[in-house]
Amino acid sequence: MLSQSAPKFSSTGTQATRIVGVLTIVVMTWVVISGLVFTPADVVQGESVRIMYVHVPSAWIAYLAFIVTAIASAFYIFAKRHSLGFDRVAGASAEVGVMFMVITLVTGSLWGRLTWGEFWQWDPRLTTTAFLLVTYIGYLAVRRLDGSIEQRARRSAVIALLAVLEIPLVHFSVVFWRSLHQRATILDPNGDVKMDGLMLFTLFSGVVGFTLVFVWLILHRQRTMLLSDLANQSGLDAAILARQNESVSN
Amino acid sequence: MKKTVKKTGRSRVASAVFIKDLRIEARSRVVTNQVLPFAGLIMVMFAFALDNDDVLQRVAGGLIWLATIFSLFIIVQRSFAIDTSDSALDSLRVAGIDLSAVFLGKSIALSLQLIALDVVLIAAAFLLYQVQVSVIGLVLLVTCVICATTGLGFVGTLYGGLTAGTNGRETLLPLLLLPVVAPVLIAATRATEAAFGSGGAAISEGWAWVGLLAIFAAVFGVGGSLAFGPLIDE
Amino acid sequence: MQDAGFIFASYIITVAAIVLFAVGTLRRAKSSAKVVEDQHKPWI
Amino acid sequence: MTVEKVLEFSDVVIVYDNFPAVAGATFSVNAGEIVLLQGANGAGKTTLLRACAGLLPIARGSANVLGCDLRLDRLAVRSRVGLLGHANGLFQDLTVLENMLFWSRLVGATRNDVDQAMDAMGLSGRLSETQVAKLSAGQRRRCALASLIVRRAQLWLLDEPHAGLDAQGRDELDRTLRAARDAGATVIFASHEIERASALATRSLVVASGTVKPA
C-alpha cells in the first residue's frame, strides 16, 4: 500500500555498504596510484604492462560474476521455495559481470594494440570472452521481456544455466579451432611478464579492489531491484482497492 | 467425475507433433519456396562477392554453414508462428501435454528440414564452387550434417520457444542463438572443410569435430527437454 | 608518447564505467525508495 | 447425492501486466451447471477464464478447480479443463480431420472418439477433408469444440463462444453445450448476448471491475 508518511530511509545504503564503499575507494585509489606510478615498467612489455592492473582483475571478476549468476539461478530453480532473492542476486551479478567484461575487452584491446600492434586477435581467450559477453547481453535482454516477476525469474534462471553449459562448449571449440591452425604462444599476454614483488602485490590489490567493487555494486543493485519490484507491488495494492471501489460505485 | 484422461506416452506425443509440423510444411511449402531460395541466394551472392575459384573452394564449408544458420532463424520463427498464430500452443499448455515431448517432436522436424536444406546447399557448393569429395569424405560429410543439424534443431527449438509470442522476438532470437551456435558453426565448418579437403585439410581431422558436434547435440537435447517446459509455461 | 595515452585511457575507462554504474544504481535506489515503506526494506 | 463443487474461488486476485484484472472474485460452480459470465469489456471475464484453466498465477486468495488448488499446482488442473478463447487453437494448414487426429494422438483417444465428436459437431463428410483456413468462422468454432470433446474436458471454459457465428451456428452451439452438460461436463462461458445466453445458462454471474456478483 502507498505509504501515508514518507519513508525516512531513502537509500539502499547501510553501515555495511558504507564500510565496503570506503574500503573500495581506498583500495582502488591505491591500485590506480601504484599501477600508474610506483610499479616499474616490464622488461619486455615496457610501460604498457600497467594496463594489466585493471585488465586482469576485471576479467577475473567478470567470470566470478557469471559464476555467481549461475549459482544463484540454480538456487532459485532447485530450492523448494523459489525465493526471488536469488533471482535478484543473479540479475544484479550478471549486470555487473557484463560491465566488467566490457571493461576487460576494451582495456584488453588497448593493451593488445600496444603489445601486438593490433586491437584484436582471434585468440581463443579473446574469442571466448566475446561470445560470453554476447551471451550475457542476451541474458539481460531475456530479463527485460514482459511478464510477471516469477516468469522473469524462471526464464532467466533457465537461460543462465544454459549459458553455463555453453561456456565450456564455446571455449573448447574455439581453443581446438585455433590450435589446429596456428600456435598461440606469442599471443599469451601474461606469459612474458616478469613480476616483481610490488607488481604482484598491486595485481593482488587490484583483485581485492575489484571484488569489493563487485560486492558493493551487487548489494546496492539487488536492493534497488527489490525496491522497484515493491514499488510495482505497492502500486498494485492501490490498484486493487481502486478497482474494488469502482465496482461498488457502479 | 474422476475419470481422468490417461497420460499419453512421450514418444506418441513427440511423433504426433513431428508429423504435424512436417505435414504443415509439406502443405504450405514455406521452406521449399522461401527459405531454400534464400539460402541458395546467399551461396550465389558469396560467389559474386569473392569471385575467385580458389578462395571459394577454401571457404565453401564456412559458407554452407553460415547459410544454414541464417536459414535456421527463419525456420524456427516460422515453426513457432504456426503454433502461436491461432493460440495452438496455449491449447497444448491447457491440455497438460508433456512439453518435453513437444520439444523433441519439433526439434526433430526442424532438423529434418535443415538436413534437406543442407543437401541442396552442398549440391550448390559442388556446382558453384567446384569442391571435390572422396567416398570417405562423403561419409564424414553425411555424419557431420546429421550431428550438426540435430544440435541446431535442439537449440533452435529451445530458444524459439522462449521467444515465441514475446515482443521483439525477431531480434531477440538471433541475439540469443548466435553465441550458442558458434561451436556448431566452427565445428561443422572444420569438418566440412576436412571432407572437401579444403586448404589441404586431412579427413581424419574432421572426425574430432564431428565428436564435438555430437556432444553439443547431446547437451542441448538433454538440457532442452528439461528446460523447454518451464520456459514456455507460466 | 602513445603508450601513455593508451594506459591512461584504460584506467579512465575502467574507473568511469564503475562510477557511472554506481551512480546510476544509487539514483534509481533513491527514487524507488521514496515509494516503498521502511518496513519492506530488510536491510534497515 | 451431494452436489459436487467443480470450482471454488474466494477473494481471488489475478494480476495481468501489473494490473489487477480480477480484484477479489468470490464464487463457486457446481457440477453440471452452465454458468454465464456477463460483463462489459475489460471487466475481467477473459482473465478469470484463463486463470480457471491454470494459465495465470493467482496473486491472492484461494482458488480450487476440480479438486486442484490453483495456488499450489496450476499444472494439475490442465489436462481436465478445456479452454476456448477468442482464438480456436487450430492449425490452419491442416484439415479438420487432421486437427482432430492430432489431438486424439496427444490425449490417447481412439479414432472412434474422433468420429463421434465430429458427428456431434456436424463436421463429418466432406467438411472433414477441408483445410481449417477455408472454413467459415462457425465451422472453425465447431471444430474447436470437437477438440474439447476429444480431449474429454470436464470443465469447459468458453470465452465469447457465440461471437462470429450466424443464427444456425448459435443454435448448434447451444445444443452442443447442453449435450456436453448432459454428458457430464460443466460449462462456464462469457457472453455479451444476454438474452440468448441466459436462456442457455442455468445461472448467471455478473463480472464488473474485476469482481463477481450474482445476476
Side-chain angles (χ1 to χ4, degrees), chain A residues 147-169:
Chain A
S148 67
I149 296 171
E150 287 78 18
Q151 217 169 348
R152 174 192 81 190
R154 190 196 278 231
R155 273 185 190 147
S156 56
V158 170
I159 293 293
L161 292 179
L162 287 172
V164 168
L165 281 183
E166 168 199 331
I167 292 171
L169 279 171

Side-chain angles (χ1 to χ4, degrees), chain A residues 15-82:
Chain A
Q15 190 81 32
T17 61
R18 275 186 279 275
I19 292 172
V20 174
V22 169
L23 270 178
T24 309
I25 291 172
V26 170
V27 177
M28 287 302 285
T29 312
W30 157 253
V31 171
V32 170
I33 294 172
S34 174
L36 287 177
V37 184
F38 296 161
T39 53
D42 184 62
V43 190
V44 184
Q45 298 211 357
E47 301 290 340
S48 71
V49 77
R50 298 184 192 285
I51 295 179
M52 174 181 74
Y53 306 119
V54 287
H55 173 74
V56 173
S58 70
W60 284 8
I61 304 308
Y63 277 96
L64 173 73
F66 294 148
I67 292 169
V68 169
T69 298
I71 294 174
S73 301
F75 268 108
Y76 176 78
I77 291 248
F78 295 114
K80 261 257 165 53
R81 208 177 132 267
H82 296 296

